[in-house]
Amino acid sequence: MRTAKQTRIFIGVPTFNRPDMVRETVESLRASLMTDFIAVISDNVSSPDTAASVETYVSALNDPRFRFVGQPLNEGEYGQGRYFFAEATKSGADYFMILHDDDLLDPTYLDRAIQALASEVDAALFIANPRLIDECGAVSAKLTAQYLSEHGRNGHAGGLFPILETVLCTGFAPISGTVFRLSELERSGFVDADCAGNFPFELNVLLRLGDLGLQGWFDTDTLISVRYHEGSLRNTLGLMGNRTVVETMLTLLERRSYHGIAERRRQTIISRLYRARAEIALENGHIAAAKADAKAACRVYPKSLAAWKTRLLTSMRSI
């Protein structure tokens, strides 16, 4: 039973040098029809002036639901995520959400999420469709359509969905704006202990829930605005061209094994990651390492024409 000091949902808002955007994010929370939440705005070592301005803004709200915390070190998404998770656990909240400092919730979002999770006991998380907005907040129909297509949302029925298969196939559920049942995150262990930095934090959280065979709840209505801009992490990490990202994803996926569709997809992704690492090695003139990774890509998923093409390319470079 929840006590008077506990809250329905804990919301963590990580922020880094985005004073204007994070204000918009906080204001979207203040406009929420569901008010039973705690929101912690956690600054990840922004410039001193920026951090001070955000702290002043949060303090001036004079709203006990919102508080500002300055982190002593920038430990990326994993650092912020672990901090929020620990704080949520201490708060005794029923639900947990991370909302990026450039995304905005519709006023009905939290209410819809809590209603769905309260009634659907088999759902470990709640997501809804987004609209994509630019840096100034203008909606982009083109980017929205691209997002829905790439994330397998087009034509997908609302209701329960398997977390593991959907995240491996399309990255169906994001981290920002997803409302998690905190007890299931606790049961999953949240993230792998040896992972750090920025990516793939999102994949890690969802894989651990998927490892337990859990399901999520998908609301097909558009209830969140996701901002797409030059400073977005998705645009600055380089993903498949970033050796650290590639190797961390390999670590996560190679230590797991599944059955059926999930296992086939896991093997496909691992092959793609070996191929990416081979291409990075080639660019840096490490021919032997590139050949070894290209060979591994073919071994893991022999049907991949792209893997065999990379293997041929590495062989030609060694001649």
Side-chain angles (χ1 to χ4, degrees), residues 296-312:
C298 295
R299 183 188 69 250
V300 173
Y301 188 53
K303 295 181 180 180
S304 172
L305 295 178
W308 286 104
K309 182 178 178 180
T310 300
R311 187 170 181 180
L312 176 61

Side-chain angles (χ1 to χ4, degrees), residues 247-265:
E247 290 183 342
T248 305
M249 290 184 70
L250 273 171
T251 297
L252 285 179
L253 292 169
E254 286 190 319
R255 65 175 43 149
R256 291 170 162 82
S257 64
Y258 304 114
H259 301 282
I261 295 174
E263 177 59 17
R264 290 194 294 275
R265 184 58 184 162

Side-chain angles (χ1 to χ4, degrees), residues 141-297:
K142 179 180 178 180
L143 287 176
T144 299
Q146 181 179 328
Y147 179 98
L148 297 179
S149 176
E150 290 178 350
H151 290 78
R153 300 289 185 88
N154 289 333
H156 198 291
L160 291 172
F161 66 91
I163 294 173
L164 182 62
E165 287 79 3
T166 51
V167 71
L168 287 174
C169 288
T170 61
F172 191 73
I175 194 67
S176 181
T178 295
V179 179
F180 296 92
R181 197 182 299 278
L182 187 57
S183 60
E184 296 292 20
L185 285 179
E186 291 174 320
R187 187 159 72 96
S188 75
F190 192 51
V191 291
D192 290 25
D194 58 348
C195 291
N198 281 318
F199 197 87
F201 172 75
E202 173 179 297
L203 175 64
N204 199 171
V205 173
L206 294 166
L207 278 180
R208 291 188 74 95
L209 292 173
D211 290 344
L212 298 176
L214 297 176
Q215 300 180 92
W217 183 267
F218 173 45
D219 190 322
T220 58
D221 285 350
T222 301
L223 299 173
I224 181 172
S225 297
V226 173
R227 202 183 302 263
Y228 191 93
H229 56 97
E230 289 185 1
S232 299
L233 195 58
R234 63 179 70 89
N235 288 334
T236 58
L237 275 179
L239 299 187
M240 287 300 180
N242 185 315
R243 186 179 179 88
T244 300
V245 168
V246 169
E247 290 183 342
T248 305
M249 290 184 70
L250 273 171
T251 297
L252 285 179
L253 292 169
E254 286 190 319
R255 65 175 43 149
R256 291 170 162 82
S257 64
Y258 304 114
H259 301 282
I261 295 174
E263 177 59 17
R264 290 194 294 275
R265 184 58 184 162
R266 185 187 75 92
Q267 293 173 1
T268 301
I269 297 172
I270 288 175
S271 177
R272 174 68 183 93
L273 291 167
Y274 273 122
R275 180 159 56 90
R277 197 166 69 174
E279 292 166 354
I280 294 170
L282 271 182
E283 291 178 3
N284 289 282
H286 302 147
I287 306 303
K291 289 178 66 176
D293 281 336
K295 183 177 180 180

Side-chain angles (χ1 to χ4, degrees), residues 94-115:
D94 296 315
Y95 305 104
F96 173 80
M97 179 174 72
I98 292 175
L99 183 64
H100 288 169
D101 63 351
D102 50 358
D103 297 337
L104 313 171
L105 297 186
D106 286 12
T108 59
Y109 186 95
L110 293 179
D111 192 52
R112 293 275 286 271
I114 300 309
Q115 285 187 35

Side-chain angles (χ1 to χ4, degrees), residues 47-74:
S47 66
D49 288 347
T50 296
S53 70
V54 175
E55 182 175 15
T56 298
Y57 160 73
V58 174
S59 177
L61 295 176
N62 197 28
D63 187 332
R65 296 175 302 167
F66 295 87
R67 64 184 174 93
F68 175 91
V69 172
Q71 295 299 328
L73 297 172
N74 185 335

